[in-house]
Each structure stands twice: as C-alpha cells, then as structure tokens.
Amino acid sequence: MITNEDLLQKLLSNVVSLTESKREDILRAYYFAEEHHKGQKRLSGEEYIIHPLSVAIILTEFHADYEMIIAALLHDIVEDTAVSLDEIKSAFSDNIALLVDGVTKITKLKSASKREKKAETIRKMLFAMTKDLRIIIIKFADKLHNMRTLQFMSKEKRKRISKEVIDIYAPLAGKVGMNLVKDQLEDLAFKWLHSDAYSIINSYFNRIEKDRVRTLALVKRKLTDQLQKNNIYFRIKSRAKHFYSIYKKMKKYNKSIEEIFDLYGIRIITDSIANCYQIFGVVHILWQPLPGRFKDYIAKPKDNGYKSLHTCVIIEKRKAVEIQIRTEEMEEINEYGIAAHWYYKKNYQPDLKELKWLKQLKEVHNEGLGSIEYYKTLRDDILKDLIYIFTPKGDIIEMPKGSTPLDFAYRIHSEIGHRCRGAKANGKIIPLYKPLKNGMVVDIITGKDSNPKESWLSFIKTSHARKKIKSWFASHKQQDTDIKQENKKQESKHVNKEQPKENLPKIISSKDMQIEVNGEKNLLYSFAKCCKPHPPDPIVGFISRGRGLIIHKKDCHNIKSIKDFEKRKIQANWVLRNWRNIYTFRFMATEDSSPFDEIGRVIYKYSGIFIESKIFGNHTKDGRKDGFFSVKFPKKTNISLLLKEIRKIPTILNIEKEY
Ligand code: MN
C-alpha cells in the first residue's frame, strides 16, 4: 500500500526544479494540512491527507506553479476543518487564500436542495475562475483524484457525480484546452454512467490487444525506416484509448464496436511545422489514406487552440490507423492547454478575445439567473462545442452543437423565433427539431400570425431560446386569464343567458357524415335550426310529430323546454358516409409519450372518429419515437387544421401527412 511518506517523496521529487524556499513552503503547507486533517479518514479508509497530497502531485504533472501546489495541499481545509480562510491568508498568502476559497464548496446555503447547492458551488467557483484561471486547474486535479477513487461512494452518488463531470467539468477542461484531463475525466465518468457499454468496449479492447500491439509495431517500424532515411527528427507515441469518444461514435453512427474503424492510433511528434507536412507526405506514400479523413488543424486550429494534422490510413485489409502529426510545442499545448501557457509565460492572463466562452461566462454571471438555470445555461450554451451557421445573407452565427433551426431563429431575434413556422437548410425544408450541422445556410420561414408552441420546449437545445419561449407563454397566459376573468364578469351580469360553449374548429363537413340511429343509417332526418349540430358535437335524436327525426346537440338548451322530450328522444351518432379516403400520417414524439393515445384523443375530439384502422407501430431511436398510422376520413376533411391541433400536444414533436 502507498503511504503518505511515499507520496510526499514523490511530490518533493516532482518539484526539485523549484527554489529551496518554495520547496520549504510546500513542505510547510503539507505539515499544516496533515495536522489539521489528522484523524479524518476518506471513504476508502485511508488517511484524509492522501487526497490533498495526490491532488498536489497531479498538479505537478500539469506543470502547475508553486502557489497552486500549496493551494492544492490546503484545498479542503476550510471546508472540512476549523481553520478559517483568514488563517490561511496569514500563514501563507492572499493569493493562496484566494485559490483555496475558489475551490471551497458552499455548504451554508439553507433551504436549498442538493442540486441547487451543487449549482451554486459551481457558480461560485466559475465566478472566482474568471478572476484567476488557476482555480479551475486545481479543481480539475481535485476531480481527477476523486473520480479515480469513486468506487467507495454509493451507486447513486457515483452516478450523480459522473453526470456532473460529463456536463460541466470535462467540457470545461476541453474549453481551456486541457484535453488530457478532459479525456481522463470522461472515461472515468463513462465507466460509472454507462457501465454496460464501458465493459463491452473494454472487453473488446482486451480481445484485440495482441493484434493492436502487433499492428502498431509494424506501423512504427515502417515509419521509422522511412523517416530516418529522410533525416527527420521525430518520436512516436502510442495513443491512449479514449473509450468515451468510441462510445459517442457508436451512438452517433448507430454502429457496433466491430464497425468502428479507427480504434488504432499513433501520434508522431516532430520539431517543426515544415516537418509535420513532410511526415504527412511520407505517411501517405507508405499507406493509402482513407478519403475524407484528412484534417489540417495546423492551418485552421480548433476553437480551443488545438493544432495537429490528422489522417487515417489503411494498413492491411480493412484495418485503419489514425495518425496524428504535430510539433512538441503543439503536443504540450494540446495536452495541457491553458496550464501549459501558464508554464511558458509567467503571470499569464488569457485574452478575452481569444476565449469567447470566458467572456460569455462573465456575462452570464451578471444576468442573475437562478442556480438551476445557471447550471443549464452553462451546460447547454457555454460549454457545448460550437458550430457555425450561415444566414442567407452570409453572416456567421455561432451556435452550440446540437442547436435546432428554432434555436437559430431565437438567436437571430426573439420575434423571429416566436413567429417561426419552418426552416430551410441549404435550400431544403427541414423539421424544426432537427439538429443543425456545421456550415449550413439556414433560412427561417416566419408567419405573420404564427405563435410559439408549447411542444417546442421538448426539443429546443439552448437555454436562451427556452427562456424566450417560456416568457412568451407566461405573458400570454396572463393575458388569457385576464380575458377569462373579463368574460366571467360579463357572464355574471347575464346569468340567465346561454353559457358560452367551447367552440371546436370544424375539421369535417356535416355533408360527409351521416346519422346512425340504433344502427340504422338510412333514416330521413333533419338538423335542428336552434343548435345546428356539427360533427363531432355530441348529438341526440328527437322524433317529432310531422317533421320526422330531428337531430339536436345533446346540450341544446331548447330541448329542455320541449314537452315529452325525454319520452321521444332516441340515441344518435355521427358516422362517415361510404366514400372516404385513407390518410397516413408520420409522426415524431418524445420518448416518454404514448403517441397513439394522445393523437387518438385529439382526432376523436375534433372528428368523432377513432383511429380504427392500421397502426403500423412506432420505434424509439435517439430518445425519440418515430411512427405512423392511417385513418379513414371523408375526402374534404380539413387535415391541416387537424394537424395544427395535434401539434399542440406537448409530447408530439412533429406530425406530417404522408400521402
Ligand atoms: Mn478535494
């Protein structure tokens, strides 16, 4: 078993390059922490000091400066012991106290749920981070060590913490370019969040390990021969397998692990950009490249500053190897991101123009959102990867990945969002729920009288659009209630007058329906002039003297005054005339809905017709239900009105007539 002593030695050996007085400070911080955590145990049963010590060691691997290392040793003291922040300030320094405070949880929020407290803690930390980015680097080291020892937590807690890592910490690490941390955090969280998928991938890798080692050795040998001949400096690194990205690929392309191509990967690191391209040429001479897989992130770096050449080549038969080529400096910055900047330039403070998301983060802090809302904005708007969407005029709008045309509409202007009726991407109509792709030209179609639909809330991606839609409904519901209250006042003034009735839109003309009385369709009848029944109004028949069968609405106020009505009434229903069309509809619904029940209810409400005919069923994909069904309607049915009503069902994302 590893002891405190072993770890302390490791820490000290990792900081030998620091000055003597700095190393003494680090040692002093260690004894300070050890003394105050004395007697505390971790869930694993180890001494608590193991944790801050491990966090400090992880930080030395990120090339952290000595203030960060000291803060790491002290980071849980304020939270877990009687020591105050002021004491840390006087024992160490203001700077170190600031770093410690930044990673200290909020525990004193009374009457807040666990979720709110978590969100509030993240808000506090990120607010502090906008002043000193080193705080987030310490937090990453803290998270990494906690994630590595997560097995001692309860199952529920493991899942909750892992979810938060996937939502916030891993994307945040990506934003600051600390890709090594990001990958590690993702894999650790993935293991607990989707343990089945994790073990499938894991056992597959165990199965192919021999072949993987053999193939990569072959690639290395050939490359070395060729590059040495050309006298190019290089070193080759076998890449760590990143399970979570493999899992995401499987999900995205709906493939099994056997169908994923580039499970084998190596990295070639060299000393100049010119050599990167030369090596790239050599690679493509040695092996055939896979089309469409060459990416030049040197000429066009990713948003977080990532630079590299990527290509994928076919080694033997169907075996592909992904090859990354980059300089030593790129390697350092790709792996450690902002921490590497810190290491190279003293007192580095990032340029806000370079880090747009950080600027956005600062703006969000000023918005005064509720804790849960803040968490969602962070997760869905700020930390998502960006895609670039073009307006028809050629303006570029940045959107979080996964955004829909509707998110785009709201980003342009909230009025465009409210009046959005449809969207075209690259000239073709696409559904409003369909995620946009990078580089699309998107044209929003608006309608003068179009209004937001509640169903939008089930597929909208950005918190920005969600907020706008919700506030639209909030203000219109207020208006509705005002109108209703006004109506009530009016009603009470005329108590004796007829009660206002719900006026359903007519989707079927009464000509297309006939009346069935006791199973008999060929009776002569007429409609009462007082209430003018119309499908699907509930109806009742009255056998009059001289004028035959008269059909009234069931709730017609006149029938109460007809003598003998109760004796002479007869049950009547609407039925379709013989000629009718079959209409087929295709729909998309949320995963948790029962679409046939919900759609069926609306169809019945507006037409009196059941979905009696073919139900072809539905199936779930990507968290959505797809399906279709057919209904017999009269020829002149107002289908678009019916669709409009069905689209008001919150769980129905879309419905279209098939033919
Ligand atoms: Mn900690």
Side-chain angles (χ1 to χ4, degrees), residues 51 75-76 142 146:
H51 169 63
H75 83 270
D76 275 332
D142 180 36
N146 282 335

Side-chain angles (χ1 to χ4, degrees), residues 26-60:
I26 289 172
L27 201 59
R28 186 162 62 89
Y30 169 75
Y31 287 121
F32 188 90
E34 195 201 26
E35 189 198 321
H36 289 288
H37 283 302
K38 192 151 256 156
Q40 293 176 352
K41 290 259 159 56
R42 300 198 83 212
L43 286 175
S44 60
E46 293 168 316
E47 295 285 326
Y48 194 86
I49 189 67
I50 294 268
H51 169 63
L53 199 46
S54 304
V55 174
I57 291 172
I58 293 172
L59 277 170
T60 61

